[in-house]
Amino acid sequence: MTADPGELLSLAVAAATAAGRLLVDERPRDLGVGTKSTPTDVVTVMDRRAERLLVERLQAARPDDGFLGEEGTQAVGGSGVRWVLDPIDGTVNYLYDLPGWAVSVAAEVDGEVAVGVVHVPTYGETFAAVRGGGATRNGVPVHVSTCEQLSQALVATGFGYAAARRARQARVLAEVLPRVRDVRRFGAASVDLCAVACGRVDGYYERGLKPWDLAAGGLVAQEAGALVAGLRGAPASEELVLAASRTLFPALHDLLDPLAPDRD
Ligand code: IPD
């Protein structure tokens, strides 16, 4: 089965929107909270239901595709397309009924992210990107900010779930904070990356992102003009993701590099 990016995009938007509707309309009083990697890394029954809905929808349309989902879906396909899914990015926001969680759906074609959709129901926003085709919010093109100076930069970040990693992240943050306009911790990596994409923040960095946190939002940020990478020329990875406009990236990189934010 061939992979038409336009078709993958429509499917991703439809599936993410349906999952968002489920998460809003059928949010139960008891979220059935469990924990994963640490006691602060939560999962709810709705993460699992939303992942199931995404997989069913996408599989119905494209039965030969592979899958990687945060809540355990893993399947090798034969089409060259693999869907990378985070049914609720920002589960802690969802748990506390805070805004800013997202459904993140990306399609890789032959191992490279080709399409990304980040649907944020509580903002009424759907960010979308096709590789080489720019990025949009609710269908309107978005671009990174024009900020060039670190001292004027609003920088988003996030924290892992393990206490030791967080202690280190706090030490890095203590060095970043006095050198930038301010920092924000919104609670969903894909939404942070989309915030870079639309200039809502000037930069973003975080250690420990999983493929499903990064895939869709990373492409949206890139297609909006951001450089999305690691330190010292490394690609963005679980080690570190740094995203900013090309004008701000070097300064943010050089601030972070000696602080070793890619280590625990
Ligand atoms: C988390 C969120 C959070 C980030 C963590 C992620 P989850 O994803 O994106 O903002 O700081 O690194 O794991 O667990 O809510 O899907």
Side-chain angles (χ1 to χ4, degrees), residues 62-79:
R62 297 186 50 91
D64 292 336
D65 292 354
F67 285 91
L68 175 68
E70 180 178 19
E71 306 315 333
T73 307
Q74 224 170 331
V76 177
S79 65

Side-chain angles (χ1 to χ4, degrees), residues 196-214:
V196 172
C198 68
R200 203 169 261 163
V201 298
D202 301 302
Y204 162 72
Y205 73 93
E206 184 167 348
R207 170 162 171 70
L209 296 196
K210 302 290 186 193
W212 44 81
D213 298 315
L214 172 64

